Amino acid sequence: QVQLVESGGGLVQAGGSLRLSCAASERIFSRYYMGWFRQAPGKERAFVAGISWSGGSTYYTDSVKGRFTISRDNVANTVYLQMNSLKPEDTAVYYCAAADRVVTGWSTRNMDYWGQGTQVTVSL
């Protein structure tokens, strides 16, 4: 059982930046594909960014391309989401997720483990 703990959320003005972190309990962290998802009030949880085992491949939903960067440190068992040029529409609870397989489709049903989420609020 992999435990994931997110941190780094908060309140920021539009145009600002935040860096989310997700620490994993699993010793063999490098075998997991990792992703960030978000859920806004009244909406379904949606894919934001994903990264392969080694970090060699990254994936983004169109609305965050050029603004968000996902990265991982397999020694520290941590995945990061650097969020720049934040917009009010980025406001959501952000969840870290892990998949114990190669992920070809970044949907919630393809992820095996989830963190508890961290709130990101972007004000005008």
Side-chain angles (χ1 to χ4, degrees):
Q1 183 77 14
V2 177
Q3 293 184 332
L4 303 172
V5 180
E6 302 98 334
S7 61
L11 173 65
V12 64
Q13 287 188 328
S17 299
L18 283 174
R19 188 193 196 202
L20 305 183
S21 299
C22 172
S25 64
E26 177 59 52
R27 286 190 304 113
I28 315 178
F29 175 72
S30 60
R31 80 181 197 189
Y32 293 91
Y33 267 54
M34 300 297 298
W36 287 96
F37 292 73
R38 66 187 179 187
Q39 188 166 16
K43 295 187 176 180
E44 293 186 351
R45 194 171 299 186
F47 170 71
V48 176
I51 191 166
S52 61
W53 295 320
S54 66
S57 297
T58 56
Y59 312 85
Y60 299 94
T61 192
D62 286 345
S63 62
V64 308
K65 286 179 180 177
R67 300 189 298 122
F68 291 10
T69 303
I70 188 171
S71 61
R72 67 189 297 162
D73 182 339
N74 286 344
V75 174
N77 288 1
T78 302
V79 63
Y80 305 97
L81 185 67
Q82 177 66 44
M83 305 186 295
N84 298 328
S85 302
L86 282 162
K87 303 175 181 180
E89 52 263 44
D90 295 318
T91 295
V93 177
Y94 283 70
Y95 296 90
C96 174
D100 189 12
R101 68 181 69 84
V102 174
V103 177
T104 56
W106 290 94
S107 67
T108 56
R109 63 179 179 273
N110 288 337
M111 308 307 291
D112 299 307
Y113 305 101
W114 293 88
Q116 82 289 351
T118 185
Q119 176 71 46
V120 171
T121 303
V122 184
S123 64
L124 289 170

